Amino acid sequence: MSAQSKTHSASSSDGDDGGPGGADDELLLAALLDGMDAALCAFDADGVVTHWNREAERMLGWTQHEAVGRRGLAGWAVRAADAEEVEGRLLGAMDAPGRQVHEFALLTKDGGRVLVRVQSSGVAGADGRPKGVYCAFSEVHAQIDLERSIALSEALLEDACWGVVLVDADLRPAVANAYAARSFRVPSRTSMLGRPLGELLEHGVEELEGALQHVLAEGAPPGPAEIWVRLRGAEDAEKERDSLEAELSPGAGPPPQAERGELDRQCCWRSGFLRLATPLAEEPVPLGVAWLFQDVTEAKRAEQAAARLRFRDSQSHRAARAAAECEDPMEAATVHLDFALAGFADHAVLDVLTPPENGPDPVPVPRLVRAATTPAAVHGHGLHIEPGTESGLPVAYVEGHPALQAYQRCGSVRASVGATAVPEGWAEARKWPQGTTHGLCTVLRSRGRTLGVVTFLRDAGRRPFDRTDAVYAEGIAAHVAGSVDLALQARR
């Protein structure tokens, strides 16, 4: 370092008196130059090399002692044929304002050639006269790689067709693009920065934060992950969910606003994660996680609907084959309900109209008799009257009961406790098993007559019934109605 300092002092043309302050300045300058990531050299006004740092030595192979003190670059760092042009462009920066950028080939010590991009800037003395020029240079391909990386980052954060969120080590968004802002339903990209993910998401926060923490600790996962989340907001739609009955016949209008809002807030994001570390430290220092995601909600819902439809078709086929082996038509009706429960409901209740209708007009006050329940009553779900039509005792349904509404409307009716806590006695008041929170009543029709009502029930662990469920229930009711009609004919 002392030899290096002496060389710099000897080659300096700033008129320093060589005192202690000047020596310290030279030592500091030498340390700064050698610590730079870019190759750097400097020339005085006569074109003599005055500075040459370690990165320049690494790139070209010429040591500082071999480079400093040479006049120009001809014959050692530049081909003689190109020297005049190259030196003229470099030294011309002393008379030109600002920074000049050039590209040309330099020679390495072993005879190779390196295409470099040079940024040169003139240096003036206290009197304003040019005293030399400083040049920083790097290999062109490295510079191009850097520019491509910067351009890619800017494109991802501006125009990408998927979400990009840079999450810091505290798991808070630090940078986000426009797609991400739209996905989170926030007014602008900056409005989601620095906020905990729990303020943006209602469900799925634990899973997402767990994935981010895993990436910070272990690195990027081998493949993308599909994460279901529910966005915060639209609470009014949640509160307005109808906790009573809503008609769900296929010809009805659009679903309630609360149901649409609930579906809109649920999203499936196909996510990829990359751990970010600073390239400036000797050991990786985590900067956060780059989270890239696409909204695949519609595709996933279509896949789930298709899988559900295949399963239900299979169940209907199996139920039809099993019911065909039953001698008792009412047993066949119960078999249809047994197969329908799988993946659909927790309980099914079959109420038959007694006496049956004699014409197309509905009975003003129907007498519905509990004919069957499936599965059989267990502890905590017992019934006050055992199922069976022999007694003819009607179920004590109150006015406005969903089963009576389904009969009167000749369609399907849904009942749900809604988003609030289950009111005490809600299921018992409707003569349903304890723990029931959602019901779907569908009328039984055969040969132009109404024969009864079948009710499907779900406990608190399941979601409410929707329109697709109503269509499926009506298909089951058609099979059940045929068996019930046959049973009633056999009893006459």
Side-chain angles (χ1 to χ4, degrees):
M1 180 64 74
S2 61
Q4 183 178 321
S5 175
K6 292 178 181 177
T7 303
H8 289 178
S9 297
S11 59
S12 176
S13 59
D14 58 1
D16 189 89
D17 59 2
D24 291 343
D25 291 344
E26 287 294 330
L27 288 173
L28 176 60
L29 177 59
L32 291 174
L33 294 179
D34 288 338
M36 294 178 63
D37 293 329
L40 187 139
C41 66
F43 304 87
D44 61 13
D46 297 326
V48 177
V49 178
T50 60
H51 297 82
W52 189 268
N53 72 348
R54 289 180 181 175
E55 183 62 18
E57 177 181 338
R58 184 201 64 80
M59 185 181 302
L60 300 179
W62 300 100
T63 66
Q64 184 186 70
H65 295 288
E66 293 172 329
V68 173
R70 289 177 179 263
R71 180 179 295 276
L73 303 174
W76 63 284
V78 176
R79 291 194 317 168
D82 301 331
E84 182 178 356
E85 179 186 359
V86 170
E87 292 176 4
R89 293 162 68 179
L90 291 177
L91 298 178
M94 288 189 295
D95 301 322
R99 183 175 53 185
Q100 308 296 311
V101 180
H102 308 285
E103 289 185 6
F104 45 75
L106 296 180
L107 296 178
T108 62
K109 189 175 182 179
D110 59 7
R113 301 184 69 189
V114 179
L115 183 62
V116 299
R117 177 174 295 177
V118 180
Q119 299 183 19
S120 57
S121 179
V123 179
D127 56 0
R129 298 171 57 186
K131 299 184 61 176
V133 59
Y134 276 86
C135 304
F137 58 94
S138 60
E139 297 182 55
V140 168
H141 70 82
Q143 185 71 19
I144 292 177
D145 289 344
L146 176 61
E147 293 177 359
R148 285 173 178 165
S149 298
I150 296 174
L152 175 61
S153 300
E154 292 180 351
L156 288 175
L157 296 175
E158 291 292 340
D159 306 323
C161 59
W162 54 82
V164 180
V165 180
L166 302 186
V167 183
D168 60 22
D170 295 327
L171 305 185
R172 300 191 178 201
V175 182
N177 68 350
Y179 184 104
R182 292 193 300 269
S183 299
F184 276 92
R185 314 288 174 83
V186 294
S188 64
R189 293 186 295 174
T190 57
S191 61
M192 63 181 290
L193 303 184
R195 299 171 60 185
L197 293 174
E199 293 184 5
L200 302 171
L201 302 176
E202 184 174 351
H203 290 167
V205 179
E206 295 82 2
E207 291 75 8
L208 180 56
E209 290 184 342
L212 295 172
Q213 290 173 345
H214 173 81
V215 173
L216 283 172
E218 304 293 337
E226 294 177 347
I227 303 176
W228 281 92
V229 300
R230 187 163 76 169
L231 302 173
R232 287 197 179 275
E235 296 297 334
D236 292 339
E238 181 77 14
K239 294 178 182 178
E240 291 175 1
R241 177 187 292 177
D242 188 8
S243 60
L244 299 176
E245 291 74 27
E247 186 174 1
L248 286 181
S249 60
Q257 181 66 31
E259 183 174 326
R260 290 202 306 270
E262 180 73 12
L263 292 176
D264 290 342
R265 293 165 56 201
Q266 295 177 348
C267 305
C268 181
W269 292 339
R270 181 172 295 154
S271 305
F273 302 93
L274 296 171
R275 182 169 61 181
L276 302 180
T278 175
L280 303 180
E282 294 183 0
E283 295 185 0
V285 177
L287 295 177
V289 177
W291 172 30
L292 292 82
F293 67 91
Q294 274 190 320
D295 192 335
V296 294
T297 307
E298 295 301 324
K300 295 301 294 184
R301 283 180 180 160
E303 291 178 7
Q304 293 174 353
R308 184 168 57 245
L309 181 60
R310 287 193 299 269
F311 176 76
R312 290 177 176 179
D313 287 345
S314 175
Q315 289 295 99
S316 296
H317 176 70
R318 294 174 60 194
R321 296 190 60 178
E325 303 299 325
C326 298
E327 294 183 3
D328 183 3
M330 288 302 296
E331 181 183 356
T334 305
V335 167
H336 279 289
L337 296 179
D338 287 334
F339 278 91
L341 288 184
F344 181 65
D346 296 298
H347 307 276
V349 176
L350 176 60
D351 297 328
V352 177
L353 184 65
T354 303
E357 293 181 353
N358 295 322
D361 297 330
V363 178
V365 182
R367 292 165 52 89
L368 296 176
V369 177
R370 184 67 49 85
T373 62
T374 184
V378 295
H379 179 69
H381 293 78
L383 301 173
H384 297 290
I385 300 179
E386 287 294 325
T389 58
E390 290 80 5
S391 66
L393 296 176
V395 183
Y397 288 144
V398 298
E399 183 179 357
H401 190 279
L404 300 180
Q405 291 190 42
Y407 174 83
Q408 294 166 355
R409 301 179 185 184
C410 199
S412 297
V413 170
R414 176 186 64 179
S416 177
V417 297
T420 59
V422 181
E424 184 178 357
W426 186 87
E428 288 78 359
R430 290 161 176 75
K431 307 303 178 182
W432 291 340
Q434 297 178 16
T436 298
T437 55
H438 313 293
L440 175 61
C441 300
T442 303
V443 71
L444 300 177
R445 297 280 295 176
S446 179
R447 296 187 298 145
R449 297 182 304 161
T450 299
L451 305 180
V453 176
V454 60
T455 303
F456 297 98
L457 305 172
R458 288 177 177 173
D459 293 342
R462 292 178 178 265
R463 62 175 177 80
F465 290 99
D466 57 20
R467 281 176 163 258
T468 304
D469 296 328
V471 173
Y472 179 59
E474 289 169 359
I476 298 170
H479 293 288
V480 174
S483 298
V484 171
D485 192 11
L486 185 60
L488 295 178
Q489 292 184 54
R491 294 177 183 177
R492 291 176 185 175

